[in-house]
Amino acid sequence: MCHNLIDNIAFGNGAEDYSIPLIRLDCMPQDTPEELKYLYDLSVVDDSLDYLGHPDSVLLKDGSILTVYPSGHGKGAVRSKISRNGGKTYDFEIENQPESWQNSRETPTVYRLEFSDGRGDKLLLASANPDWHDGKGTVGGFNFSLSDDEGKSWTEFELCFSKKDEFTVIPIVAMASLTRLKENGKFVDKWMGFFHDSDFVNYKTVLSFEGEKAVWSTPEPYFAQHREIEKKANMCEVEVIRSDCGKGDELCLIARSNNKHYNSLISFSNDEGKTWSEPVFARGALNGERHKADYTADGRLFITFRSIERGKEKVRKYADKGQNWFSEGWVAWVGTYEDLKSGSEGQYRIKLAHTYRKNQSSPDIVAEADTGYCGNVVLNDGTVVTSTYGAFGERNSDGGYKTYVASKRIRLSDVDRLIK
């Protein structure tokens, strides 16, 4: 069962190890069958700078994968790469990107908008304007661009809720999630987006359209009823999952606990995000930061995140002195929506690739935590393509590890064979 929320410290607050299998795709056994060796491959998306990070991805209608990311840690000009062969190589980019993307101040997120009124799909890219406390300040609000032609061309950034507006927010990670809403049991052309601010107040804003004009509702705190744990856990960067393979009437929220004194939080809504249940702690198998979830062809969930390990014995064995957590790096959880609902551990975890710490020269249990923020897509043949950033072993000119964006292809039926 899920843990109750209790005000404890250190190894309380949901801390536990996980007992489900860990499938390590960071080091290939010698007896691996030929047809499974691809699981251990890693494709470079972009390694053109010493540091690139925080990607997000969207599947295009022609089967291509568009991945966007900043030119630095969380901020910097938006870059793009496109794979035309299912994530094996990334050889293209958006031509004539909007000039305003050069001024992006945060991690870009990208989503597909499907409409019920007969119009064609749109793609949405959003980027927040947080205050980095670097002396430059911020105009506040968030920027967004739209594409009507599958990412070939984009509108210039439009700024919403800045310091010049009647209502101002200073968001972080906009939109951490974007969920199409229902009314009277049917999908409508409205999307609920989430972000947080530096006080870890979590906001929602609803996107709709007046003709071709995008309209965002005034952001409002949606977790105020549970403000005590929201604040104590530094809740942020939530992922929202709709039940029944994305067609159901219940929403599940998974939130990062930024201060790492608590496990990730899970909450549910049965009224399209108007109210949320009292949060419970995620099991250790799902504990981490910046969860990104997708349903696979067989109805399972594939959820990537930055591992945060808080199990007491493992922390004593692996964590740096004085630290009450460590990371196994870039991981994925495989299970069902029912596992989330019941508090079960799930089926298994995958260590997708090793992210190297400064003094490491080979894969290990402990990994560099500067990873996650994945862009995930599911191809028509059921293959999951997941992309993240990290130090994957390539060196900078000064001998240190380069941090760059990389991608991996996975079919869960093949990972199942590794379990057996």
Side-chain angles (χ1 to χ4, degrees):
M1 296 296 293
C2 296
H3 298 268
N4 292 323
L5 293 179
I6 55 174
D7 186 11
N8 208 338
I9 57 173
F11 298 110
N13 304 321
E16 64 170 3
D17 194 7
Y18 58 87
S19 62
I20 58 176
L22 173 66
I23 310 303
R24 292 189 59 176
L25 300 183
D26 57 333
C27 45
M28 184 171 62
Q30 291 184 349
D31 59 351
T32 300
E34 191 67 31
E35 67 273 18
L36 300 184
K37 288 183 178 179
Y38 81 95
L39 291 168
Y40 301 87
D41 293 338
L42 199 62
S43 300
V44 173
V45 176
D46 191 346
D47 62 355
S48 60
L49 297 180
D50 285 347
Y51 192 104
L52 291 166
H54 307 82
D56 198 7
S57 301
V58 65
L59 182 65
L60 304 180
K61 284 190 173 180
D62 67 359
S64 300
I65 302 167
L66 168 62
T67 298
V68 294
Y69 47 96
S71 302
H73 183 89
K75 60 180 176 179
V78 174
R79 291 170 170 247
S80 63
K81 284 290 183 181
I82 300 171
S83 174
R84 308 282 191 202
N85 55 11
K88 296 175 183 177
T89 58
Y90 292 77
D91 301 324
F92 306 89
E93 60 187 31
I94 297 172
E95 297 181 3
N96 302 314
Q97 286 188 179
E99 290 185 10
S100 53
W101 286 16
Q102 294 297 308
N103 300 318
S104 176
R105 289 181 56 83
E106 223 218 5
T107 62
T109 58
V110 62
Y111 296 97
R112 176 175 295 279
L113 308 178
E114 297 177 311
F115 293 84
S116 58
D117 62 4
R119 78 179 85 179
D121 292 1
K122 296 180 185 290
L123 301 181
L124 168 78
L125 183 144
S127 174
N129 290 307
D131 188 346
W132 286 94
H133 304 290
D134 54 5
K136 297 180 180 180
T138 178
V139 298
F142 60 84
N143 299 299
F144 73 94
S145 289
L146 292 168
S147 173
D148 294 322
D149 56 8
E150 291 297 295
K152 295 180 180 67
S153 61
W154 294 80
T155 61
E156 294 288 348
F157 271 154
E158 185 174 341
L159 179 61
C160 298
F161 308 111
S162 72
K163 291 180 178 179
K164 296 180 180 180
D165 295 315
E166 183 177 346
F167 186 89
T168 301
V169 287
I170 308 208
I172 300 172
V173 188
M175 302 300 161
S177 65
L178 190 76
T179 302
R180 192 177 183 188
L181 294 174
K182 285 184 170 185
E183 292 179 358
N184 300 318
K186 294 183 178 180
F187 283 111
V188 294
D189 298 339
K190 296 180 181 179
W191 295 263
M192 178 172 61
F194 284 169
F195 60 83
H196 70 284
D197 66 15
S198 59
D199 291 324
F200 297 98
V201 175
N202 287 266
Y203 291 87
K204 73 175 180 180
T205 175
V206 175
L207 169 66
S208 59
F209 285 82
E210 296 178 356
E212 290 299 309
K213 180 176 175 54
V215 179
W216 297 88
S217 69
T218 301
E220 57 180 298
Y222 64 86
F223 224 62
Q225 182 181 357
H226 309 297
R227 176 57 182 159
E228 183 178 4
I229 187 61
E230 176 188 49
K231 184 176 182 179
K232 285 183 177 179
N234 289 178
M235 170 181 156
C236 62
E237 296 176 6
V238 304
E239 172 69 309
V240 174
I241 306 166
R242 187 176 285 279
S243 62
D244 191 21
C245 294
K247 300 176 182 178
D249 296 326
E250 183 176 69
L251 301 177
C252 173
L253 173 155
I254 307 177
R256 167 180 180 171
S257 174
N258 193 63
N259 62 19
K260 301 176 181 59
H261 296 316
Y262 294 77
N263 268 22
S264 301
L265 303 174
I266 296 182
S267 179
F268 296 88
S269 174
N270 288 292
D271 56 11
E272 296 299 297
K274 295 181 178 67
T275 61
W276 294 88
S277 65
E278 181 178 353
V280 295
F281 292 123
R283 297 297 301 269
L286 197 57
N287 187 47
E289 298 177 342
R290 196 63 180 110
H291 299 79
K292 295 284 284 186
D294 285 273
Y295 283 102
T296 57
D298 60 7
R300 285 184 287 180
L301 278 166
F302 178 88
I303 304 179
T304 53
F305 54 98
R306 171 192 296 164
S307 150
I308 301 294
E309 302 305 313
R310 300 182 61 245
K312 187 173 181 179
E313 295 304 318
K314 284 177 71 173
V315 165
R316 286 177 176 168
K317 184 175 182 179
Y318 294 116
D320 293 339
K321 186 176 181 181
Q323 196 165 338
N324 67 347
W325 66 276
F326 71 97
S327 181
E328 292 182 358
W330 180 26
V331 302
W333 175 92
V334 177
T336 65
Y337 186 88
E338 288 68 32
D339 290 328
L340 299 178
K341 186 73 174 175
S342 67
S344 301
E345 277 197 281
Q347 187 176 359
Y348 54 77
R349 272 174 52 135
I350 307 170
K351 181 165 181 174
L352 295 161
H354 188 65
T355 47
Y356 287 82
R357 304 183 79 192
K358 183 177 180 180
N359 297 319
Q360 289 179 330
S361 58
S362 61
D364 200 347
I365 292 295
V366 183
E368 172 56 52
D370 193 19
T371 188
Y373 289 75
C374 302
N376 300 335
V377 301
V378 182
L379 304 183
N380 292 334
D381 67 359
T383 301
V384 177
V385 181
T386 177
S387 301
T388 191
Y389 74 106
F392 298 110
E394 186 176 334
R395 297 281 184 174
N396 294 323
S397 57
D398 64 2
Y401 284 120
K402 178 182 289 190
T403 296
Y404 57 98
V405 181
S407 180
K408 173 157 283 200
R409 294 164 44 86
I410 292 175
R411 287 187 290 272
L412 289 190
S413 59
D414 290 335
V415 181
D416 295 340
R417 289 179 57 186
L418 296 179
I419 289 280
K420 296 175 182 178

